[in-house]
Amino acid sequence: MLAGSTLAPRLARRYEPARIIGAGLALSAAGYGVLTQAGGAHALPVLVAGAVIVSAGLGPMMALATAMVVGAAPPERQGAAAAISSTAPQLGGALGIALLGSVITAVYRGRTDGAAPEGVPADAAGAFEDDLSATVTAAERLPGPVGDELLGAARGAFESGFQVAAGVCAALTVATAVLVARAGVRGRRRVSP
């Protein structure tokens, strides 16, 4: 994200800001696409690669958007503009995490409802249907193969939820990139480094 953040103002001297922001969003969407493949034995490298790609796309977009917001404000209001520009992504991030957490939970519960592996006691099956952390605790108290099977099923359900959430992010990011590219950024301004 750091490299992209420092590169954005330089790119803004040569290219229209909407193109830079749109390209950054498209790159981030590709990263979310990579994250839809996270799971199984290779989950960690896929997670790292996807997160790096998402960050590489968001860095320039965020830096450029902040510079544009602050640059558009009159000098006496630039402090307030910077504060708003800083607060908006934090609020959006918190709301996004809540929404995506709900997506993951809904998919997890949809995959686990009544689907506990055979031989799992009722209390462990209830934990399995509740959430992953409760399943981990319940699986630790079960005999080896039964606990392992329960934990594997829970991890699979969680991975499915994560993949769906990453797909939602990819779709929303593509839609935003298209909107930015089509609408452009009005009042084309130069962004100083």
Side-chain angles (χ1 to χ4, degrees), residues 14-163:
R14 296 188 72 184
Y15 303 101
E16 183 179 334
R19 289 180 181 221
I20 300 166
I21 292 171
L25 288 167
L27 181 60
S28 290
Y32 288 124
V34 169
L35 290 174
T36 65
Q37 304 305 305
H42 303 292
L44 184 58
V46 172
L47 283 171
V48 170
V52 167
I53 295 168
V54 168
S55 295
L58 291 181
M61 187 242 357
M62 292 175 68
L64 186 55
T66 298
M68 291 175 68
V69 167
V70 172
E76 67 275 4
R77 305 283 303 178
Q78 287 182 340
I84 291 169
S85 185
S86 175
T87 302
Q90 293 173 14
L91 176 62
L95 293 173
I97 288 169
L99 173 69
L100 296 172
S102 297
V103 168
I104 292 171
T105 299
V107 172
Y108 177 90
R109 290 193 174 156
R111 294 270 319 265
T112 59
D113 187 31
E118 195 172 312
V120 173
D123 61 331
F128 170 69
E129 292 177 6
D130 193 29
D131 63 53
L132 181 60
S133 64
T135 305
V136 170
T137 302
E140 290 172 349
R141 295 189 302 254
L142 296 174
V146 175
D148 291 344
E149 188 176 358
L150 181 66
L151 193 53
R155 284 183 177 147
F158 181 82
E159 287 172 356
S160 293
F162 181 85
Q163 292 164 348

Side-chain angles (χ1 to χ4, degrees), residues 16 18 178-186:
E16 183 179 334
V178 168
L179 287 173
V180 168
R182 292 188 90 204
V185 177
R186 294 187 186 149

